[in-house]
Amino acid sequence: MNPFFRFSVLLPVFKTFFKARKTFISCLIILLSLICMGSYAQTLITTAPSAITSTSATLGGDVTSDGGSSVTERGVVYSITSVNNDPEIAAAGVTKVVIGSGTGIFSQSVTGLAIGTSYTVKAFAISALGTSYGAIQTFETLPAPGGVASEIALWIKSDAGPLNSSNPTTDNQTVTTWTDQANPGGDTFTSSGYTAPTFKDNATDNINFNSVVDFAGNVGMKYTASVFSTGVGAEDGLTWFAIVKPDDAASSATDQFVFDNLLNWVLLKKVEFIFGYTPTAHGGAFDGRSFPHSNATATTLARFTVDFGATQTINLNAAATPISNLPITLTKLTSSEVSFNANSGANRGPFTLGRLAQSNFFNASTRSYQGKLAELIGFRRVLSATEVNQIESYLAIKYGITKDNTGGGTAGDYVASDNTSLWDADQSAGFHNQVIGIGRDDAQQLTQKQSQALDQSVVLYAGTLAATNSVNVGTFTNDKGLVLIGNNTGAMLTTTDGIVASGAASRLARAWKVTKTNFADAISMDFKLDAGINPANVTASRIQLLVDTDGAFTNGGTSA
């Protein structure tokens, strides 16, 4: 056979073989490249969030290796956990923050976060190799009373503390430390140098089922810092809120200091009087006058406002008109105006609770507070009317206080932390009495599971009624879901007036208006009837809940 013929015949075969082998080798190279890229992709970690406030946090990561390909973009992605618990770039509800390029540690303060909200965050790195993510980290922004966080200086409350450091506080235990919620991990009140007050969490001492700190006798606490306001920028004054319940209207303690912020204080004078003070040597006000009130030993929501260059005022139970209103020319409250000292001394001292700070003017029998303090909130600025309403709504719901609606308008209105209306006092004029509520508002750390009218005629609660709010195991489904009720002051006795319901022979003279906002859970109400009704004469199967459309049970819109 002609060898040239054999070669010419086999040549196409060799060509096909080498083409196939070339394709195989190319595929193998591509596969090995992919494997190598996977093996050497950029590696990174997500660092733990830090410097967490109500609306900001420092987020970041560390690109420990670029895998052989330059990192062109790095940063973090975050989302509200309930919206997306595994954030990635361009996913729903995810915010991307670019923080440079290359390897190494990176971080950035992220602002504009929602108050009192849980977030999930991951670091990311992008290169020609693709996008890589670090492990998930979670954090929660701090709550704020009324959802108001700007320039908050102090927030202590007996139901959250933490009291006595990280140790659980039990009923009748002395309170040696009380940590500021506005600056967790930082400043703390301590009883060092004084006799410690007592923590109370029981059915007898609590305020609307919430715990209190009892300042009975010569006791006190001091702050490891102070609260100043510079008069510069947003710091245009001071605004204070306190929940107090004095023990004895006839107390011999004529000047009871609820708190003393070094020449900036609120005190009760034999309980039936109240007044505040700012340093007169620097344009503050104190003329020795006493401002009477009729709250006696009732739980009171007190607000003390120092508006630099204008006035200092005291308002009780959210009243629109202040009980005390004094002109001032004071323009700042800093270390130049006060004499701060870590311990009580002559004409100087620390920020104190329950007593006068200065030792040379202190008298245990006249200048120490005799009563309960549940909550104290301070801001380094004058709050707007909307902000005041949000904070006072929070305190009023929590502690069972009916807001004063004198003057109409927004006076007496209750709102959530985002200013959503919960109760309009004008629209509820005939029922704006003994207003109480229960529900949940995460931004201000409010979970009020049971609430009682001032005259104890009705208790509103979730789950099973308990001795205190802290041990009630009921839950609420929705954030910012609340129920409020108020009554018409009718007697807890029967009447036949306005009965328009099948089979009803009589009804209670007292009626309640109920408002429900974003609320989806079952609730219960317990009633305490007047002595004129004998329970033995009441047949349980004949009791009906009447629902009426006009509030008077007269227009035929009553159903049972």
Side-chain angles (χ1 to χ4, degrees):
M1 180 182 289
N2 188 336
F4 294 102
F5 170 77
R6 289 200 297 264
F7 179 77
S8 62
V9 171
L10 292 175
L11 185 61
V13 177
F14 286 131
K15 285 183 178 180
T16 302
F17 171 76
F18 283 115
K19 282 183 180 180
R21 185 172 182 179
K22 183 179 180 182
T23 301
F24 170 75
I25 292 171
S26 298
C27 291
L28 183 60
I29 291 172
I30 293 171
L31 179 61
L32 289 173
S33 297
L34 290 173
I35 292 172
C36 290
M37 284 193 293
S39 301
Y40 292 97
Q42 59 267 26
T43 57
L44 71 161
I45 61 174
T46 307
T47 54
S50 61
I52 301 168
T53 72
S54 295
T55 58
S56 66
T58 297
L59 309 178
D62 183 4
V63 180
T64 57
S65 171
D66 62 11
S69 179
S70 297
V71 173
T72 56
E73 189 174 279
R74 67 187 186 188
V76 295
V77 285
Y78 67 88
S79 57
I80 294 175
T81 303
S82 61
V83 175
N84 189 326
N85 62 6
D86 190 8
E88 293 191 354
I89 295 171
V94 174
T95 299
K96 173 186 174 184
V97 180
V98 177
I99 314 174
S101 59
T103 58
I105 298 171
F106 59 92
S107 66
Q108 182 171 306
S109 178
V110 174
T111 60
L113 303 178
I115 296 171
T117 302
S118 176
Y119 282 87
T120 300
V121 60
K122 293 195 302 189
F124 73 85
I126 299 175
S127 72
L129 303 177
T131 301
S132 297
Y133 293 94
I136 285 175
Q137 293 274 4
T138 60
F139 68 98
E140 188 168 330
T141 53
L142 302 182
V148 181
S150 175
E151 299 300 333
I152 188 169
L154 177 70
W155 185 18
I156 54 173
K157 50 181 182 172
S158 61
D159 66 325
L163 285 75
N164 296 342
S165 300
S166 59
N167 300 319
T169 308
T170 56
D171 185 38
N172 283 321
Q173 183 178 351
T174 55
V175 179
T176 56
T177 61
W178 195 353
T179 302
D180 176 15
Q181 294 291 292
N183 303 281
D187 302 319
T188 300
F189 280 92
T190 172
S191 61
S192 176
Y194 306 128
T195 301
T198 306
F199 176 75
K200 299 285 187 179
D201 190 16
N202 60 71
T204 302
D205 291 299
N206 284 9
I207 299 177
N208 198 36
F209 302 106
N210 290 299
S211 60
V212 298
V213 174
D214 190 13
F215 290 78
N218 180 18
V219 301
M221 302 192 80
K222 62 182 179 182
Y223 198 33
T224 53
S226 193
V227 177
F228 298 136
S229 183
T230 63
V232 178
E235 296 186 16
D236 59 355
L238 288 162
T239 309
W240 293 98
F241 302 86
I243 295 293
V244 295
K245 190 179 189 303
D247 286 340
D248 185 1
S251 172
S252 61
T254 54
D255 297 328
Q256 299 188 34
F257 281 73
V258 177
F259 71 90
D260 184 359
N261 185 28
L262 299 171
L263 304 181
N264 161 220
W265 67 58
V266 165
L267 59 87
L268 305 173
K269 187 176 178 64
K270 290 190 71 174
V271 180
E272 66 267 26
F273 296 96
I274 188 168
F275 53 95
Y277 178 93
T278 50
T280 55
H282 298 277
F286 179 69
D287 59 8
R289 290 182 297 171
S290 298
F291 300 95
H293 66 84
S294 58
N295 288 40
T297 59
T299 301
T300 300
L301 193 173
R303 173 176 20 117
F304 180 40
T305 306
V306 181
D307 188 354
F308 291 152
T311 59
Q312 68 180 44
T313 57
I314 297 176
N315 298 66
L316 301 182
N317 292 342
T321 302
I323 193 171
S324 167
N325 189 342
L326 300 175
I328 59 173
T329 58
L330 179 73
T331 58
K332 59 180 179 175
L333 270 172
T334 68
S335 57
S336 298
E337 290 70 43
V338 301
S339 300
F340 178 81
N341 196 59
N343 299 299
S344 294
N347 299 316
R348 63 181 59 241
F351 183 160
T352 54
L353 297 178
R355 55 166 288 148
L356 177 69
Q358 301 160 316
S359 62
N360 53 320
F361 292 111
F362 177 71
N363 184 308
S365 63
T366 61
R367 295 193 169 185
S368 59
Y369 175 47
Q370 311 291 318
K372 300 173 178 67
L373 175 64
E375 201 149 337
L376 179 65
I377 306 166
F379 290 83
R380 298 185 186 89
R381 64 183 179 93
V382 178
L383 303 188
S384 68
T386 297
E387 292 170 324
V388 166
N389 193 27
Q390 289 173 200
I391 293 172
E392 292 185 331
S393 293
Y394 154 70
L395 293 171
I397 292 171
K398 184 173 180 178
Y399 295 103
I401 296 170
T402 300
K403 297 176 65 180
D404 192 316
N405 66 331
T406 304
T410 59
D413 291 354
Y414 292 72
V415 297
S417 61
D418 61 356
N419 202 36
T420 298
S421 177
L422 303 173
W423 177 276
D424 188 309
D426 283 346
Q427 294 180 10
S428 309
F431 295 88
H432 194 82
N433 305 287
Q434 300 191 54
V435 178
I436 58 174
I438 60 172
R440 168 186 155 200
D441 192 331
D442 295 346
Q444 51 191 347
Q445 210 171 58
L446 174 66
T447 306
Q448 188 64 29
K449 300 176 183 179
Q450 50 192 58
S451 191
Q452 181 172 257
L454 186 62
D455 65 358
Q456 300 182 352
S457 60
V458 63
V459 182
L460 178 68
Y461 58 96
T464 301
L465 184 63
T468 67
N469 191 65
S470 61
V471 298
N472 184 318
V473 297
T475 59
F476 300 110
T477 303
N478 296 333
D479 180 24
K480 295 181 180 61
L482 295 106
V483 171
L484 273 69
I485 66 171
N487 70 67
N488 64 351
T489 71
M492 294 295 284
L493 294 168
T494 58
T495 179
T496 57
D497 292 343
I499 293 298
V500 188
S502 175
S506 62
R507 67 174 178 88
L508 283 179
R510 181 167 299 183
W512 290 265
K513 178 175 180 177
V514 180
T515 64
K516 183 177 70 170
T517 307
N518 195 36
F519 197 84
D521 305 292
I523 59 173
S524 299
M525 292 175 66
D526 289 357
F527 302 95
K528 180 180 178 181
L529 303 177
D530 284 351
I533 297 180
N534 185 353
N537 297 330
V538 178
T539 304
S541 61
R542 297 290 303 276
I543 297 175
Q544 296 176 310
L545 176 66
L546 302 180
V547 180
D548 188 64
T549 57
D550 71 345
F553 298 89
T554 58
N555 70 346
T558 304
S559 59

